Amino acid sequence: MARILILGGTGEARALAAALTDVPGVDTVSSLAGRVRDPRMPVGDVRIGGFGGADGLDEWLRAHPVDAIVDATHPFAAQITSNAADAAHRRGIPHVVLRRPEWSARPGERWHRAADLVDAAALLPDLGTRVFLTIGRQGVDAFAGLNALWFLIRAIDPPDVATPPQSTLLLARGPFAVADEITLMREHRIDVLVTKNSGGGQTDAKLDAARTLGVPVLMIRRPPLPSATATVDDVAGAVEWIASVTR
């Protein structure tokens, strides 16, 4: 029986765990960071909580041997991705990153690109005054010093860091409908959307809404993957990769 560690927390990770239940000779354990209070749980064995860095993951792998690792974490979960690549290399375990394709600007969209959250905060005052901030709860403090701007902050759980003084918190989990996103942005008179280039279809309705309303988008680039990292961009590719390394 081949044992696969899925580093999860995304829809792709849950879909992969479900797909592998139909593959003979394959068993999975999914690991969730535990940062969301009420996570959507995958099928199969699940562990919740951090490993304690690359060293902690290495120790966990020593105690719980696996035959392959699929990193299906969020595209902006740079630290666990780095730790997983490091620990997999140390242990000599096959390792792949499952990353959904990035969003690309389409005709009619006005994108401004930021290297990271700090860069986005520096660029934002020149783009608008009423901000729809859709980066999740982590990193909101990068915008806490922008006293002259008003923010609608949408996240699954409340931020546990400093927030901008003029802000309203909206707790919600996607997917979202385009019509609802248009209504939301109109009601709050949004004139700039800030988001991470997460890709996927769970939260892309806000981009359609922004295009419809002529609202500019401040798009935060993904962090780079560790060097020499193998990647697949969908669940089917991950299943094929697992088959290739466990036969």
Side-chain angles (χ1 to χ4, degrees):
M1 180 70 71
R3 182 80 162 162
I4 310 300
L5 171 62
I6 302 173
L7 301 175
T10 61
E12 291 84 2
R14 292 188 296 273
L16 177 59
L20 292 176
T21 61
D22 297 326
V23 178
V26 173
D27 187 24
T28 65
V29 55
S30 296
S31 178
L32 308 182
R35 292 175 178 168
V36 176
R37 292 180 182 176
D38 185 23
R40 293 171 175 166
M41 301 296 287
V43 299
D45 293 343
V46 179
R47 70 168 300 278
I48 297 178
F51 290 100
D55 291 341
L57 178 53
D58 180 61
E59 287 300 316
W60 188 90
L61 291 169
R62 188 190 307 273
H64 306 84
V66 300
D67 297 283
I69 300 172
V70 180
D71 176 357
T73 56
H74 191 276
F76 282 79
Q79 191 59 62
I80 183 58
T81 292
S82 175
N83 292 343
D86 187 353
H89 178 72
R90 293 189 207 178
R91 309 291 312 163
I93 299 171
H95 163 255
V96 72
V97 175
L98 168 55
R99 283 290 183 274
R100 67 187 78 128
E102 293 183 323
W103 292 317
S104 297
R106 299 165 295 179
E109 293 181 336
R110 292 187 290 149
W111 281 21
H112 303 267
R113 292 172 174 82
D116 52 30
L117 293 173
V118 173
D119 188 33
L123 295 171
L124 191 53
D126 292 330
L127 301 178
T129 60
R130 295 186 65 83
V131 184
F132 189 14
L133 188 62
T134 63
I135 62 168
R137 69 186 181 91
Q138 296 184 352
V140 172
D141 54 337
F143 303 88
L146 299 179
N147 300 333
L149 308 185
W150 181 88
F151 290 79
L152 175 63
I153 302 170
R154 184 165 69 191
I156 296 174
D157 293 321
D160 54 6
V161 295
T163 58
Q166 298 189 82
S167 61
T168 295
L169 177 63
L170 173 62
L171 299 181
R173 188 198 301 261
F176 304 103
V178 175
D180 293 338
E181 296 288 70
I182 290 173
T183 298
L184 181 68
M185 293 171 72
R186 279 178 172 160
E187 287 180 348
H188 292 282
R189 308 193 312 280
I190 298 299
D191 58 15
V192 59
L193 166 67
V194 180
T195 192
K196 295 176 177 178
N197 198 335
S198 302
Q202 290 288 304
T203 59
D204 61 344
K206 62 194 171 191
L207 300 178
D208 292 327
R211 179 173 58 174
T212 298
L213 297 173
V215 170
V217 177
L218 182 52
M219 185 66 69
I220 302 168
R221 296 187 183 96
R222 291 181 179 184
L225 292 171
S227 60
T229 300
T231 62
V232 294
D233 60 12
D234 58 21
V235 170
V239 172
E240 290 179 4
W241 178 86
I242 290 167
S244 72
V245 300
T246 58
R247 8 179 112 98

